[in-house]
Amino acid sequence: MGLMKSRGVVLDPSPQAEQEDLDMLVTGLRSGDPDLRRMAARDLIGFPAATQALGDQLRVEEDPQALDSIMNTLGCLGTPEAVELLLPCLRSSDPFRRNQAIEVLKGLPQVVAAFIEDLLADPDPDVRIFTVNVLESLKHPMVVSWLTDVIQTDQHINVCATALDLLVELADESCLPALYEAAKRFPNEPYFEFTINMAIDSVLEGKGRAE
């Protein structure tokens, strides 16, 4: 096995040593000791081949610190495969697991973007709401377009309201047709009507200043 510094830095770069280090860390990831699982997950950042092992442990992990370490490592790996392993956490009834996954996904805009449309079409409105929460910090050029699609087409008032809350901060003149159309969708929802009007006023005020 290659000599290792703290935090799993491999000094012997040979393929055999690297495989031995990987095997040792995966064994630690499956340990009955949560501290050992946490450290092993942390040190697997440099091992893309451990992606599935991390996902397998993610499904059963109950220790918050180990769970956080696993999710952070998957986020650092940042591959589509890693994202796919994180997405089921959006369905979790555990707020910590769900919120940690949302935070990690927010940091992977280019990879997560490929999954957004399917997530926004998920039959579970909670998943769609959590997806909008991901969009809140997702630096991607399609965010406004995704949000306007939600307020125009989603049938669940809470999903639309969540999207609208975010759209108020991001809307520009191109959003006006969608906002006017959405205003007709839930006529008996005062909060929705109020937020729509606030978004429209914000866009018009910004347009006025620009002119």
Side-chain angles (χ1 to χ4, degrees), residues 36-52:
L36 188 55
R37 297 200 302 274
R38 173 180 58 80
M39 290 186 289
R42 176 198 67 190
D43 290 343
L44 282 167
I45 284 176
F47 294 89
T51 299
Q52 190 57 55

Side-chain angles (χ1 to χ4, degrees), residues 12-193:
D12 180 350
S14 69
Q16 179 180 352
E18 184 172 347
Q19 184 61 50
E20 290 174 354
D21 292 334
L22 173 59
D23 292 343
M24 178 189 69
L25 290 170
V26 169
T27 298
L29 186 66
R30 296 165 178 165
S31 166
D33 182 343
D35 287 335
L36 188 55
R37 297 200 302 274
R38 173 180 58 80
M39 290 186 289
R42 176 198 67 190
D43 290 343
L44 282 167
I45 284 176
F47 294 89
T51 299
Q52 190 57 55
L54 288 160
D56 291 343
Q57 187 61 33
L58 175 62
R59 284 194 289 271
V60 298
E61 185 58 65
E62 296 182 355
D63 179 78
Q65 290 183 317
L67 183 63
D68 184 54
S69 186
I70 292 168
M71 288 190 179
N72 284 336
T73 293
L74 286 170
C76 288
L77 292 173
T79 61
E81 292 78 16
V83 167
E84 283 190 286
L85 293 169
L86 288 164
L87 291 179
C89 295
L90 297 179
R91 302 181 186 279
S92 175
S93 59
D94 175 8
F96 180 82
R97 180 182 294 268
R98 190 174 62 239
N99 291 336
Q100 290 300 103
I102 288 172
E103 290 306 310
V104 172
L105 292 170
K106 285 179 179 180
L108 301 169
Q110 299 307 318
V111 183
V112 172
F115 298 90
I116 292 295
E117 291 185 8
D118 285 343
L119 289 169
L120 290 175
D122 193 278
D124 185 342
D126 285 338
V127 171
R128 303 200 299 275
I129 288 173
F130 299 141
T131 302
V132 173
N133 291 336
V134 171
L135 294 179
E136 182 179 1
S137 298
L138 203 68
K139 305 299 183 184
H140 192 278
M142 287 293 293
V143 168
V144 170
S145 177
W146 285 323
L147 292 171
T148 53
D149 285 345
V150 170
I151 66 169
Q152 285 184 297
T153 62
D154 201 286
Q155 299 302 309
H156 199 289
I157 179 62
N158 291 340
V159 180
C160 291
T162 304
L164 188 56
D165 283 340
L166 178 55
L167 195 57
V168 169
E169 304 173 16
L170 302 175
D172 55 28
E173 191 176 350
S174 68
C175 301
L176 284 174
L179 290 168
Y180 285 129
E181 184 64 28
K184 306 172 187 175
R185 300 192 62 218
F186 303 100
N188 299 318
E189 296 289 344
Y191 175 79
F192 192 78
E193 182 180 0

